[in-house]
Amino acid sequence: MRAIILLVRVVAVHPSHTLSWPASGGIYGVLISILLARTVNASINFCRFHVGTRASMRADSAAGIAWRLPNANVEWCLQLVYDIYASALFNLVRLRPKETL
């Protein structure tokens, strides 16, 4: 949910009608591609976890399977990159001094 809030904040600061096509692609394309990668990663993680726990329903085996899956580390890295990129886009505009006439 936090990812959507960050995306809304970036859209509020960088409306698409004020940006050129390359700038829109650079801002929104990166954010949407990271969100898509996180969704695919979560789906793969769910499928691997489901297949791994199908044979045994014990909690300790499920925890062991979740611990060995690399998808959580990938998700953490993708979330970190997304949060830094979106926050930087938002804060760079917010901290820029307003131009006076």
Side-chain angles (χ1 to χ4, degrees):
M1 187 55 135
R2 185 176 69 209
I4 302 300
I5 293 171
L6 284 174
L7 183 63
V8 168
R9 286 174 59 190
V10 170
V11 170
V13 172
H14 299 286
S16 60
H17 62 84
T18 62
L19 298 172
S20 64
W21 281 103
S24 292
I27 291 174
Y28 299 129
V30 172
L31 293 173
I32 291 171
S33 63
I34 293 174
L35 282 175
L36 183 62
R38 288 179 65 189
T39 304
V40 168
N41 183 49
S43 300
I44 292 170
N45 190 26
F46 178 75
C47 290
R48 285 184 177 176
F49 184 76
H50 180 68
V51 167
T53 57
R54 187 179 302 170
S56 173
M57 293 302 217
R58 295 184 5 218
D60 60 341
S61 65
I65 291 168
W67 184 260
R68 287 190 303 267
L69 289 176
N71 299 75
N73 294 334
V74 173
E75 171 64 25
W76 182 79
C77 290
L78 286 171
Q79 180 179 356
L80 186 64
V81 168
Y82 182 87
D83 290 348
I84 290 172
Y85 185 74
S87 295
L89 284 173
F90 181 74
N91 289 329
L92 287 177
V93 170
R94 301 280 296 170
L95 297 176
R96 184 175 46 189
K98 295 189 185 236
E99 298 176 10
T100 58
L101 294 175

